[in-house]
Amino acid sequence: QVRLVESGGGLVQPGGSLRLSCVPSGSIVSFGTMGWFRQPPGQQREVVASITHGGSTFYANSVKGRFSISRDNAENTIYLQMNSLKPEDTAVYSCNAQDLLTLYNYWGQGTQVTVSS
């Protein structure tokens, strides 16, 4: 069984930065597209950014130019560098990874990011 574990969330002032990590544990699988989603308070989950196995990236318009997604294929790990954070970035951030062979989607438990002065 595969588990995804996020870390790096916390409380930060507007304009600050955080770096999220998503590390798998358990069974060894190869992941295709991996990504970050977030769920702001009282709202639906939305995609933040994604990255394919080959390194192609996608960003939501709301985070373009501020967030950067990267991955380490050898470690099956992805990162989300978040700069110039705004209060509206406050949310629970979860990582997602798609099994390259079965296309099954794995989800992490999420990490809280709070942007407030």
Side-chain angles (χ1 to χ4, degrees), residues 1-6 22 24-25 27-35 37 45 78 94-109:
Q1 190 172 359
V2 177
R3 288 182 61 239
L4 300 178
V5 181
E6 302 97 337
C22 176
S25 65
S27 300
I28 298 175
V29 300
S30 293
F31 294 130
T33 298
M34 303 178 74
F37 289 72
R45 186 168 58 191
I78 58 169
S94 302
C95 68
N96 168 273
Q98 187 178 61
D99 189 304
L100 195 57
L101 295 179
T102 68
L103 303 184
Y104 182 84
N105 276 289
Y106 296 96
W107 290 91
Q109 290 296 312

mmCIF file of all heavy atoms in Angstrom, residues 1-6 22 24-25 27-35 37 45 78 94-109:
data_model
loop_
_atom_site.group_PDB
_atom_site.id
_atom_site.type_symbol
_atom_site.label_atom_id
_atom_site.label_comp_id
_atom_site.label_asym_id
_atom_site.label_seq_id
_atom_site.Cartn_x
_atom_site.Cartn_y
_atom_site.Cartn_z
ATOM 1 N N GLN A 1 0.845 -1.195 0.000
ATOM 2 C CA GLN A 1 0.000 0.000 0.000
ATOM 3 C C GLN A 1 0.874 1.236 0.000
ATOM 4 O O GLN A 1 1.907 1.275 0.658
ATOM 5 C CB GLN A 1 -0.913 0.000 1.220
ATOM 6 C CG GLN A 1 -1.974 1.081 1.174
ATOM 7 C CD GLN A 1 -2.991 0.928 2.302
ATOM 8 O OE1 GLN A 1 -2.896 0.007 3.097
ATOM 9 N NE2 GLN A 1 -3.947 1.825 2.342
ATOM 10 N N VAL A 2 0.455 2.238 -0.745
ATOM 11 C CA VAL A 2 1.218 3.475 -0.867
ATOM 12 C C VAL A 2 0.574 4.569 -0.024
ATOM 13 O O VAL A 2 -0.649 4.734 -0.038
ATOM 14 C CB VAL A 2 1.285 3.933 -2.335
ATOM 15 C CG1 VAL A 2 2.018 5.263 -2.446
ATOM 16 C CG2 VAL A 2 1.961 2.879 -3.197
ATOM 17 N N ARG A 3 1.395 5.279 0.714
ATOM 18 C CA ARG A 3 0.923 6.445 1.450
ATOM 19 C C ARG A 3 1.719 7.645 0.986
ATOM 20 O O ARG A 3 2.928 7.552 0.756
ATOM 21 C CB ARG A 3 1.115 6.273 2.952
ATOM 22 C CG ARG A 3 0.164 5.271 3.589
ATOM 23 C CD ARG A 3 0.401 5.204 5.098
ATOM 24 N NE ARG A 3 0.156 6.476 5.748
ATOM 25 C CZ ARG A 3 1.070 7.140 6.446
ATOM 26 N NH1 ARG A 3 2.292 6.686 6.544
ATOM 27 N NH2 ARG A 3 0.757 8.279 7.033
ATOM 28 N N LEU A 4 1.041 8.773 0.842
ATOM 29 C CA LEU A 4 1.702 10.033 0.530
ATOM 30 C C LEU A 4 1.673 10.904 1.770
ATOM 31 O O LEU A 4 0.628 11.078 2.401
ATOM 32 C CB LEU A 4 0.984 10.750 -0.617
ATOM 33 C CG LEU A 4 0.898 10.004 -1.945
ATOM 34 C CD1 LEU A 4 0.125 10.830 -2.970
ATOM 35 C CD2 LEU A 4 2.285 9.669 -2.471
ATOM 36 N N VAL A 5 2.818 11.439 2.138
ATOM 37 C CA VAL A 5 2.930 12.234 3.358
ATOM 38 C C VAL A 5 3.421 13.628 2.998
ATOM 39 O O VAL A 5 4.521 13.796 2.475
ATOM 40 C CB VAL A 5 3.888 11.578 4.361
ATOM 41 C CG1 VAL A 5 3.960 12.416 5.631
ATOM 42 C CG2 VAL A 5 3.437 10.156 4.677
ATOM 43 N N GLU A 6 2.569 14.625 3.307
ATOM 44 C CA GLU A 6 2.936 16.004 3.048
ATOM 45 C C GLU A 6 3.585 16.616 4.290
ATOM 46 O O GLU A 6 3.278 16.229 5.424
ATOM 47 C CB GLU A 6 1.712 16.852 2.686
ATOM 48 C CG GLU A 6 0.925 16.391 1.477
ATOM 49 C CD GLU A 6 -0.276 15.555 1.843
ATOM 50 O OE1 GLU A 6 -0.290 14.965 2.945
ATOM 51 O OE2 GLU A 6 -1.215 15.492 1.021
ATOM 52 N N CYS A 22 6.093 16.301 -0.597
ATOM 53 C CA CYS A 22 5.202 15.143 -0.606
ATOM 54 C C CYS A 22 6.052 13.915 -0.857
ATOM 55 O O CYS A 22 6.638 13.768 -1.943
ATOM 56 C CB CYS A 22 4.141 15.289 -1.686
ATOM 57 S SG CYS A 22 3.065 13.851 -1.857
ATOM 58 N N PRO A 24 6.376 9.663 -0.689
ATOM 59 C CA PRO A 24 5.620 8.413 -0.579
ATOM 60 C C PRO A 24 6.283 7.443 0.396
ATOM 61 O O PRO A 24 7.487 7.488 0.610
ATOM 62 C CB PRO A 24 5.662 7.861 -2.000
ATOM 63 C CG PRO A 24 6.971 8.337 -2.521
ATOM 64 C CD PRO A 24 7.207 9.681 -1.893
ATOM 65 N N SER A 25 5.461 6.577 0.966
ATOM 66 C CA SER A 25 5.983 5.498 1.791
ATOM 67 C C SER A 25 5.189 4.247 1.493
ATOM 68 O O SER A 25 4.098 4.311 0.930
ATOM 69 C CB SER A 25 5.889 5.849 3.278
ATOM 70 O OG SER A 25 4.529 5.967 3.669
ATOM 71 N N SER A 27 4.614 0.630 -0.414
ATOM 72 C CA SER A 27 4.964 -0.093 -1.626
ATOM 73 C C SER A 27 5.623 0.845 -2.643
ATOM 74 O O SER A 27 5.316 2.032 -2.696
ATOM 75 C CB SER A 27 3.714 -0.715 -2.256
ATOM 76 O OG SER A 27 3.097 -1.605 -1.363
ATOM 77 N N ILE A 28 6.515 0.281 -3.425
ATOM 78 C CA ILE A 28 7.215 1.074 -4.433
ATOM 79 C C ILE A 28 6.449 1.014 -5.742
ATOM 80 O O ILE A 28 6.235 -0.072 -6.286
ATOM 81 C CB ILE A 28 8.646 0.557 -4.624
ATOM 82 C CG1 ILE A 28 9.437 0.684 -3.322
ATOM 83 C CG2 ILE A 28 9.331 1.335 -5.744
ATOM 84 C CD1 ILE A 28 10.814 0.083 -3.376
ATOM 85 N N VAL A 29 6.030 2.177 -6.215
ATOM 86 C CA VAL A 29 5.366 2.267 -7.512
ATOM 87 C C VAL A 29 5.978 3.424 -8.270
ATOM 88 O O VAL A 29 6.639 4.280 -7.687
ATOM 89 C CB VAL A 29 3.839 2.486 -7.364
ATOM 90 C CG1 VAL A 29 3.191 1.352 -6.606
ATOM 91 C CG2 VAL A 29 3.556 3.809 -6.690
ATOM 92 N N SER A 30 5.748 3.440 -9.567
ATOM 93 C CA SER A 30 6.184 4.573 -10.373
ATOM 94 C C SER A 30 4.981 5.475 -10.606
ATOM 95 O O SER A 30 3.892 5.006 -10.933
ATOM 96 C CB SER A 30 6.732 4.088 -11.725
ATOM 97 O OG SER A 30 7.913 3.354 -11.542
ATOM 98 N N PHE A 31 5.195 6.744 -10.409
ATOM 99 C CA PHE A 31 4.122 7.704 -10.581
ATOM 100 C C PHE A 31 4.234 8.417 -11.912
ATOM 101 O O PHE A 31 5.319 8.750 -12.369
ATOM 102 C CB PHE A 31 4.139 8.737 -9.455
ATOM 103 C CG PHE A 31 3.829 8.175 -8.103
ATOM 104 C CD1 PHE A 31 4.655 8.436 -7.031
ATOM 105 C CD2 PHE A 31 2.708 7.389 -7.895
ATOM 106 C CE1 PHE A 31 4.383 7.926 -5.766
ATOM 107 C CE2 PHE A 31 2.418 6.867 -6.650
ATOM 108 C CZ PHE A 31 3.255 7.136 -5.574
ATOM 109 N N GLY A 32 3.088 8.672 -12.509
ATOM 110 C CA GLY A 32 3.024 9.506 -13.690
ATOM 111 C C GLY A 32 2.854 10.937 -13.242
ATOM 112 O O GLY A 32 3.710 11.494 -12.563
ATOM 113 N N THR A 33 1.719 11.532 -13.583
ATOM 114 C CA THR A 33 1.473 12.910 -13.175
ATOM 115 C C THR A 33 1.278 12.992 -11.658
ATOM 116 O O THR A 33 0.585 12.178 -11.064
ATOM 117 C CB THR A 33 0.235 13.466 -13.882
ATOM 118 O OG1 THR A 33 0.465 13.468 -15.290
ATOM 119 C CG2 THR A 33 -0.057 14.894 -13.426
ATOM 120 N N MET A 34 1.929 13.985 -11.068
ATOM 121 C CA MET A 34 1.784 14.263 -9.638
ATOM 122 C C MET A 34 1.373 15.720 -9.494
ATOM 123 O O MET A 34 1.693 16.545 -10.359
ATOM 124 C CB MET A 34 3.100 14.001 -8.901
ATOM 125 C CG MET A 34 3.620 12.585 -9.074
ATOM 126 S SD MET A 34 5.212 12.302 -8.254
ATOM 127 C CE MET A 34 4.704 12.238 -6.529
ATOM 128 N N GLY A 35 0.695 16.022 -8.416
ATOM 129 C CA GLY A 35 0.243 17.402 -8.298
ATOM 130 C C GLY A 35 -0.154 17.799 -6.900
ATOM 131 O O GLY A 35 -0.166 16.978 -5.975
ATOM 132 N N PHE A 37 -3.147 19.951 -4.737
ATOM 133 C CA PHE A 37 -4.495 20.492 -4.693
ATOM 134 C C PHE A 37 -4.644 21.240 -3.370
ATOM 135 O O PHE A 37 -3.863 21.039 -2.445
ATOM 136 C CB PHE A 37 -5.539 19.373 -4.774
ATOM 137 C CG PHE A 37 -5.626 18.721 -6.125
ATOM 138 C CD1 PHE A 37 -4.607 17.884 -6.565
ATOM 139 C CD2 PHE A 37 -6.716 18.924 -6.940
ATOM 140 C CE1 PHE A 37 -4.677 17.272 -7.811
ATOM 141 C CE2 PHE A 37 -6.810 18.311 -8.184
ATOM 142 C CZ PHE A 37 -5.788 17.491 -8.612
ATOM 143 N N ARG A 45 -12.297 21.594 -3.245
ATOM 144 C CA ARG A 45 -10.905 21.367 -3.562
ATOM 145 C C ARG A 45 -10.621 21.822 -4.994
ATOM 146 O O ARG A 45 -11.434 21.610 -5.903
ATOM 147 C CB ARG A 45 -10.555 19.895 -3.387
ATOM 148 C CG ARG A 45 -9.090 19.567 -3.551
ATOM 149 C CD ARG A 45 -8.781 18.152 -3.082
ATOM 150 N NE ARG A 45 -9.553 17.153 -3.781
ATOM 151 C CZ ARG A 45 -9.620 15.875 -3.402
ATOM 152 N NH1 ARG A 45 -8.976 15.482 -2.319
ATOM 153 N NH2 ARG A 45 -10.334 15.023 -4.102
ATOM 154 N N ILE A 78 7.558 15.129 -4.751
ATOM 155 C CA ILE A 78 7.293 16.420 -5.374
ATOM 156 C C ILE A 78 7.351 17.517 -4.323
ATOM 157 O O ILE A 78 7.170 17.266 -3.117
ATOM 158 C CB ILE A 78 5.933 16.475 -6.107
ATOM 159 C CG1 ILE A 78 4.768 16.165 -5.162
ATOM 160 C CG2 ILE A 78 5.925 15.588 -7.316
ATOM 161 C CD1 ILE A 78 3.419 16.473 -5.775
ATOM 162 N N SER A 94 -3.026 19.293 -0.379
ATOM 163 C CA SER A 94 -2.868 17.845 -0.469
ATOM 164 C C SER A 94 -2.132 17.494 -1.759
ATOM 165 O O SER A 94 -2.316 18.151 -2.787
ATOM 166 C CB SER A 94 -4.232 17.144 -0.485
ATOM 167 O OG SER A 94 -4.985 17.460 0.658
ATOM 168 N N CYS A 95 -1.326 16.446 -1.673
ATOM 169 C CA CYS A 95 -0.655 16.004 -2.895
ATOM 170 C C CYS A 95 -1.387 14.799 -3.478
ATOM 171 O O CYS A 95 -2.066 14.047 -2.767
ATOM 172 C CB CYS A 95 0.813 15.694 -2.658
ATOM 173 S SG CYS A 95 1.140 14.273 -1.629
ATOM 174 N N ASN A 96 -1.231 14.648 -4.759
ATOM 175 C CA ASN A 96 -1.883 13.582 -5.519
ATOM 176 C C ASN A 96 -0.853 12.972 -6.446
ATOM 177 O O ASN A 96 -0.013 13.678 -7.007
ATOM 178 C CB ASN A 96 -3.048 14.161 -6.318
ATOM 179 C CG ASN A 96 -3.588 13.194 -7.347
ATOM 180 O OD1 ASN A 96 -3.097 13.130 -8.475
ATOM 181 N ND2 ASN A 96 -4.598 12.435 -6.975
ATOM 182 N N ALA A 97 -0.916 11.662 -6.598
ATOM 183 C CA ALA A 97 0.017 10.986 -7.495
ATOM 184 C C ALA A 97 -0.717 9.859 -8.210
ATOM 185 O O ALA A 97 -1.438 9.079 -7.579
ATOM 186 C CB ALA A 97 1.206 10.440 -6.718
ATOM 187 N N GLN A 98 -0.514 9.794 -9.511
ATOM 188 C CA GLN A 98 -1.182 8.770 -10.311
ATOM 189 C C GLN A 98 -0.220 7.636 -10.622
ATOM 190 O O GLN A 98 0.878 7.870 -11.137
ATOM 191 C CB GLN A 98 -1.709 9.378 -11.611
ATOM 192 C CG GLN A 98 -2.566 8.422 -12.432
ATOM 193 C CD GLN A 98 -3.109 9.076 -13.681
ATOM 194 O OE1 GLN A 98 -2.353 9.516 -14.546
ATOM 195 N NE2 GLN A 98 -4.433 9.159 -13.782
ATOM 196 N N ASP A 99 -0.622 6.414 -10.290
ATOM 197 C CA ASP A 99 0.192 5.236 -10.592
ATOM 198 C C ASP A 99 0.395 5.157 -12.109
ATOM 199 O O ASP A 99 -0.568 5.206 -12.867
ATOM 200 C CB ASP A 99 -0.514 3.978 -10.075
ATOM 201 C CG ASP A 99 0.372 2.741 -10.166
ATOM 202 O OD1 ASP A 99 0.846 2.436 -11.284
ATOM 203 O OD2 ASP A 99 0.574 2.078 -9.153
ATOM 204 N N LEU A 100 1.643 5.053 -12.527
ATOM 205 C CA LEU A 100 1.962 5.066 -13.949
ATOM 206 C C LEU A 100 1.351 3.877 -14.690
ATOM 207 O O LEU A 100 0.993 3.994 -15.862
ATOM 208 C CB LEU A 100 3.487 5.064 -14.122
ATOM 209 C CG LEU A 100 4.057 5.426 -15.495
ATOM 210 C CD1 LEU A 100 3.596 6.795 -15.946
ATOM 211 C CD2 LEU A 100 5.569 5.349 -15.473
ATOM 212 N N LEU A 101 1.210 2.735 -14.025
ATOM 213 C CA LEU A 101 0.707 1.531 -14.677
ATOM 214 C C LEU A 101 -0.804 1.363 -14.539
ATOM 215 O O LEU A 101 -1.500 1.057 -15.504
ATOM 216 C CB LEU A 101 1.415 0.300 -14.122
ATOM 217 C CG LEU A 101 2.912 0.208 -14.398
ATOM 218 C CD1 LEU A 101 3.499 -1.048 -13.768
ATOM 219 C CD2 LEU A 101 3.190 0.234 -15.884
ATOM 220 N N THR A 102 -1.324 1.560 -13.351
ATOM 221 C CA THR A 102 -2.748 1.298 -13.095
ATOM 222 C C THR A 102 -3.616 2.538 -13.231
ATOM 223 O O THR A 102 -4.836 2.442 -13.270
ATOM 224 C CB THR A 102 -2.949 0.711 -11.694
ATOM 225 O OG1 THR A 102 -2.630 1.717 -10.730
ATOM 226 C CG2 THR A 102 -2.068 -0.507 -11.476
ATOM 227 N N LEU A 103 -2.986 3.725 -13.232
ATOM 228 C CA LEU A 103 -3.676 5.023 -13.273
ATOM 229 C C LEU A 103 -4.464 5.297 -11.995
ATOM 230 O O LEU A 103 -5.272 6.238 -11.950
ATOM 231 C CB LEU A 103 -4.582 5.135 -14.494
ATOM 232 C CG LEU A 103 -3.919 4.933 -15.854
ATOM 233 C CD1 LEU A 103 -4.909 5.178 -16.978
ATOM 234 C CD2 LEU A 103 -2.698 5.818 -16.012
ATOM 235 N N TYR A 104 -4.235 4.512 -10.948
ATOM 236 C CA TYR A 104 -4.901 4.766 -9.671
ATOM 237 C C TYR A 104 -4.342 6.045 -9.066
ATOM 238 O O TYR A 104 -3.144 6.300 -9.113
ATOM 239 C CB TYR A 104 -4.675 3.586 -8.721
ATOM 240 C CG TYR A 104 -5.360 3.746 -7.395
ATOM 241 C CD1 TYR A 104 -6.693 3.400 -7.239
ATOM 242 C CD2 TYR A 104 -4.662 4.240 -6.291
ATOM 243 C CE1 TYR A 104 -7.336 3.543 -6.015
ATOM 244 C CE2 TYR A 104 -5.284 4.390 -5.070
ATOM 245 C CZ TYR A 104 -6.628 4.042 -4.942
ATOM 246 O OH TYR A 104 -7.253 4.191 -3.732
ATOM 247 N N ASN A 105 -5.221 6.822 -8.465
ATOM 248 C CA ASN A 105 -4.821 8.084 -7.848
ATOM 249 C C ASN A 105 -4.663 7.936 -6.340
ATOM 250 O O ASN A 105 -5.593 7.526 -5.643
ATOM 251 C CB ASN A 105 -5.850 9.173 -8.143
ATOM 252 C CG ASN A 105 -5.616 9.829 -9.480
ATOM 253 O OD1 ASN A 105 -4.663 10.565 -9.671
ATOM 254 N ND2 ASN A 105 -6.481 9.523 -10.430
ATOM 255 N N TYR A 106 -3.485 8.275 -5.865
ATOM 256 C CA TYR A 106 -3.211 8.280 -4.430
ATOM 257 C C TYR A 106 -3.293 9.715 -3.911
ATOM 258 O O TYR A 106 -2.918 10.660 -4.614
ATOM 259 C CB TYR A 106 -1.820 7.723 -4.143
ATOM 260 C CG TYR A 106 -1.653 6.279 -4.522
ATOM 261 C CD1 TYR A 106 -1.099 5.922 -5.751
ATOM 262 C CD2 TYR A 106 -2.036 5.253 -3.654
ATOM 263 C CE1 TYR A 106 -0.938 4.595 -6.100
ATOM 264 C CE2 TYR A 106 -1.870 3.929 -4.002
ATOM 265 C CZ TYR A 106 -1.331 3.607 -5.232
ATOM 266 O OH TYR A 106 -1.183 2.291 -5.579
ATOM 267 N N TRP A 107 -3.764 9.844 -2.661
ATOM 268 C CA TRP A 107 -3.891 11.157 -2.027
ATOM 269 C C TRP A 107 -3.203 11.167 -0.672
ATOM 270 O O TRP A 107 -3.231 10.170 0.065
ATOM 271 C CB TRP A 107 -5.364 11.520 -1.821
ATOM 272 C CG TRP A 107 -6.092 11.820 -3.084
ATOM 273 C CD1 TRP A 107 -6.787 10.939 -3.862
ATOM 274 C CD2 TRP A 107 -6.189 13.089 -3.729
ATOM 275 N NE1 TRP A 107 -7.317 11.590 -4.948
ATOM 276 C CE2 TRP A 107 -6.971 12.904 -4.896
ATOM 277 C CE3 TRP A 107 -5.705 14.360 -3.446
ATOM 278 C CZ2 TRP A 107 -7.266 13.955 -5.770
ATOM 279 C CZ3 TRP A 107 -6.005 15.397 -4.316
ATOM 280 C CH2 TRP A 107 -6.776 15.189 -5.462
ATOM 281 N N GLY A 108 -2.615 12.316 -0.335
ATOM 282 C CA GLY A 108 -2.086 12.496 0.999
ATOM 283 C C GLY A 108 -3.169 13.015 1.928
ATOM 284 O O GLY A 108 -4.276 13.337 1.501
ATOM 285 N N GLN A 109 -2.838 13.107 3.216
ATOM 286 C CA GLN A 109 -3.801 13.572 4.214
ATOM 287 C C GLN A 109 -3.942 15.080 4.220
ATOM 288 O O GLN A 109 -4.948 15.616 4.700
ATOM 289 C CB GLN A 109 -3.371 13.086 5.607
ATOM 290 C CG GLN A 109 -3.516 11.596 5.802
ATOM 291 C CD GLN A 109 -4.954 11.139 5.725
ATOM 292 O OE1 GLN A 109 -5.843 11.704 6.346
ATOM 293 N NE2 GLN A 109 -5.208 10.112 4.924
#
